[in-house]
Amino acid sequence: MGVYLDSRGAGAVYKKAVQSRYFVDKTRMLAELMPIVERDVSMADMAQAGGKDIRYICITRPRRFGKTVMASMIASFFGMEDSREVFCELAISRHEGFERHLNRHHVISITCSEMPDECVSYGQYIARIKDRLIRDLKRAFPNADVERGDALWDILNALYESGESAEFIFVLDEWDFIYHQEFASDGDKRAFTKFLSMLFKDQPYVEMVYMTGILPIAKYASGSELNMFCEYTMVTEEKYADLFGFTDSEVDMLYAKYEETETGKRNVTREGLRMWYDGYHTRAGERVYNPRSVVLALTNNNLGNYWTSAGPYDELFYYIGANVDEVKQDVGLMLADVPVPARVREYAATSMELRTRDEIFSAMVVYGFLNYENGCVSIPNRELMGKFADMAQKEPSLGNVYRLEKESGRMLRATKAGDTETMAEILQLIHNTESPL
């Protein structure tokens, strides 16, 4: 119908995902959201939300953990654009609320990482969002009393008051994208936070708001502007935990499909997938795999490093380099596959400058570089172990850490072979090298 309002785009994205060889059905999320849309929420759910409005959902996960596919699924299912063909064979089709909600709601779906061509200012960025959405609303509601200069929330409130059943589900993917752009000043960031607050908070036209991001909301809103949101993170919240990333049973299913369809030499083993891409855990202790890396490994028939870094991710390596004295010993231990005790608090990752050891590790857990379990942080898997090894090579102060980590494997082989000469050589190297290992 429009660019943002009941658009075809979300359906097209999700349809491609469903048709891919290594698709995992996560439509149970829709069953979780139906009671929220229906306002059929129990007191227990409200208590779990800590008194916040359960209609406002913010999912915090590292990149490449399925947030975009989930957002497109939600927009495609609830939105007015016909998507029956996509969902009729999926698990949600057997839910009693399927017909009641499929394509029955107005959905405003915005991918916040999209920008105007040659965008160099926040003004250009936000104008694109406002102009496109106002155009969509005028087209969908031609009788709307809209005057030039009306704010978005004024237009939406006018539509609601007009009795045209103008309630909306908002889906914002990568809502915090603008905060990471170099051209966005502190004032711009505050303006965007206020924009979201005015658009969503206590507004009668809001059926539900579903947002995805990387860092907790506290990173960007220290006051009450966005305090209505219930935040669900990988470390502290069990709800929705198994819906992002792949579980063991889901990877088993995908690997069985790989064995059925890979006609040539199979270069990927099930154990290899565990070693390379497992290592994360939900709060309840369930194992979680990096979904993008698993799919690419099976598709390419190759176990390799598919992790991509962008934007604020690279800052974390900077902070480790700038605080070598604080974290060198722990990085060395983790490179040797030894978990390190840490006090991880996700809010600590929201600090504008990461100065302490625990702040650095908290941020790295939020970004997906480290796993946190039983009070300890560790490097999750071989894929990320390679990233840490690259960092150790590039950071002069960590050079000895990397060198000794490599020598540990050589020592193991020499010990098994009874090669006392090599063992003595490595022991002398360790003795002469200043390192935490």
Side-chain angles (χ1 to χ4, degrees):
M1 183 182 295
V3 177
Y4 295 144
L5 175 61
D6 299 322
S7 71
R8 296 179 182 177
V13 170
Y14 190 63
K15 184 175 182 179
K16 288 179 181 177
V18 171
Q19 293 174 339
S20 65
R21 180 186 298 180
Y22 298 112
F23 168 73
V24 174
D25 186 341
K26 298 276 190 177
T27 55
R28 183 169 62 81
M29 181 64 155
L30 298 170
E32 296 277 354
L33 297 179
M34 286 179 189
I36 296 173
V37 174
E38 294 176 348
R39 313 289 203 274
D40 183 20
V41 179
S42 69
M43 292 301 293
D45 286 333
M46 291 297 290
Q48 186 180 11
K52 295 178 180 290
D53 193 329
I54 204 166
R55 293 176 302 152
Y56 297 86
I57 298 168
C58 184
I59 303 292
T60 299
R61 288 295 186 281
R63 282 199 177 98
R64 312 306 183 192
F65 263 74
K67 301 189 301 295
T68 295
V69 172
M70 187 69 75
S72 64
M73 178 191 76
I74 292 167
S76 178
F77 177 81
F78 286 110
M80 294 289 189
E81 190 71 24
D82 183 12
S83 59
R84 179 175 296 275
E85 179 186 358
V86 176
F87 289 97
C88 65
E89 299 298 326
L90 301 181
I92 194 62
S93 65
R94 299 185 290 276
H95 190 276
E96 57 88 19
F98 179 73
E99 294 293 344
R100 197 161 60 249
H101 290 287
L102 177 67
N103 307 139
R104 298 296 181 91
H105 302 261
H106 287 301
V107 173
I108 294 172
S109 177
I110 302 174
T111 301
C112 297
S113 59
E114 295 178 350
M115 295 193 295
D117 185 32
E118 299 182 3
C119 182
V120 295
S121 72
Y122 170 72
Q124 290 175 284
Y125 174 82
I126 197 65
R128 178 178 184 268
I129 293 175
K130 291 178 178 178
D131 292 347
R132 287 186 164 203
L133 183 49
I134 290 172
R135 194 182 311 132
D136 285 353
L137 292 169
K138 286 181 177 179
R139 186 179 298 120
F141 302 95
N143 297 324
D145 184 15
V146 178
E147 296 184 9
R148 185 177 180 85
D150 280 353
L152 260 177
W153 39 90
D154 292 331
I155 296 170
L156 290 164
N157 271 306
L159 290 173
Y160 180 82
E161 295 297 337
S162 71
E164 294 198 56
S165 301
E167 291 184 278
F168 302 87
I169 293 173
F170 292 83
V171 178
L172 272 64
D173 189 30
E174 297 190 63
W175 78 275
D176 53 353
F177 170 82
I178 189 62
Y179 298 93
H180 307 312
Q181 303 311 301
E182 291 185 1
F183 62 72
S185 67
D186 289 343
D188 293 335
K189 295 170 186 178
R190 288 193 296 271
F192 187 66
T193 302
K194 184 176 181 181
F195 168 75
L196 294 179
S197 179
M198 296 295 292
L199 185 61
F200 297 144
K201 192 169 186 177
D202 299 327
Q203 295 290 13
Y205 52 76
V206 172
E207 275 195 292
M208 182 179 71
V209 180
Y210 177 92
M211 302 197 314
T212 74
I214 300 173
L215 290 180
I217 286 175
K219 167 78 174 179
Y220 318 106
S222 57
S224 62
E225 299 100 333
L226 302 179
N227 65 354
M228 66 285 197
F229 276 93
C230 303
E231 288 195 78
Y232 300 93
T233 71
M234 189 156 61
V235 175
T236 61
E237 296 293 339
E238 186 174 345
K239 192 174 181 65
Y240 308 133
D242 62 337
L243 294 170
F244 296 89
F246 290 159
T247 63
D248 252 335
S249 59
E250 289 168 343
V251 175
D252 287 342
M253 176 197 70
L254 295 178
Y255 190 73
K257 187 173 293 187
Y258 165 78
E259 289 184 307
E260 292 173 6
T261 57
E262 186 59 50
T263 57
K265 180 184 176 183
R266 291 197 289 269
N267 298 320
V268 177
T269 65
R270 179 64 182 84
E271 177 63 13
L273 290 175
R274 185 193 68 77
M275 292 177 62
W276 273 87
Y277 312 118
D278 186 16
Y280 301 98
H281 297 81
T282 67
R283 188 171 184 270
E286 187 169 11
R287 302 167 77 97
V288 178
Y289 294 68
N290 182 318
R292 178 179 183 271
S293 297
V294 169
V295 168
L296 287 174
L298 296 176
T299 301
N300 296 342
N301 191 25
N302 179 60
L303 292 168
N305 196 320
Y306 299 106
W307 184 275
T308 56
S309 297
Y313 282 71
D314 299 321
E315 295 174 11
L316 295 173
F317 285 121
Y318 165 78
Y319 284 120
I320 287 181
N323 293 273
V324 170
D325 290 339
E326 290 285 333
V327 301
K328 180 171 68 173
Q329 179 172 344
D330 295 327
V331 170
L333 290 170
M334 287 189 288
L335 279 167
D337 205 20
V338 177
V340 172
R343 191 170 183 268
V344 169
R345 296 291 183 271
E346 287 173 307
Y347 65 80
T350 66
S351 172
M352 296 306 291
E353 294 185 14
L354 306 178
R355 295 187 178 91
T356 71
R357 167 186 180 276
D358 286 340
E359 285 177 347
I360 291 170
F361 288 155
S362 295
M364 297 194 78
V365 168
V366 169
Y367 279 114
F369 277 115
L370 295 177
N371 178 53
Y372 181 64
E373 185 182 21
N374 298 326
C376 292
V377 291
S378 59
I379 301 173
N381 47 48
R382 183 177 292 181
E383 182 178 43
L384 280 166
M385 187 70 78
K387 288 291 183 183
F388 274 84
D390 289 345
M391 178 192 64
Q393 282 183 297
K394 294 174 183 177
E395 170 52 53
S397 302
L398 290 171
N400 288 337
V401 169
Y402 176 75
R403 185 179 179 189
L404 293 184
E405 186 272 330
K406 299 297 288 183
E407 290 292 348
S408 65
R410 188 168 162 235
M411 173 63 90
L412 179 61
R413 292 190 295 272
T415 302
K416 288 181 176 180
D419 184 353
T420 56
E421 183 177 341
T422 299
M423 292 167 63
E425 174 194 335
I426 295 172
L427 287 172
Q428 185 63 42
L429 171 66
I430 294 172
H431 176 76
N432 294 335
T433 302
E434 181 184 352
S435 169
L437 292 178

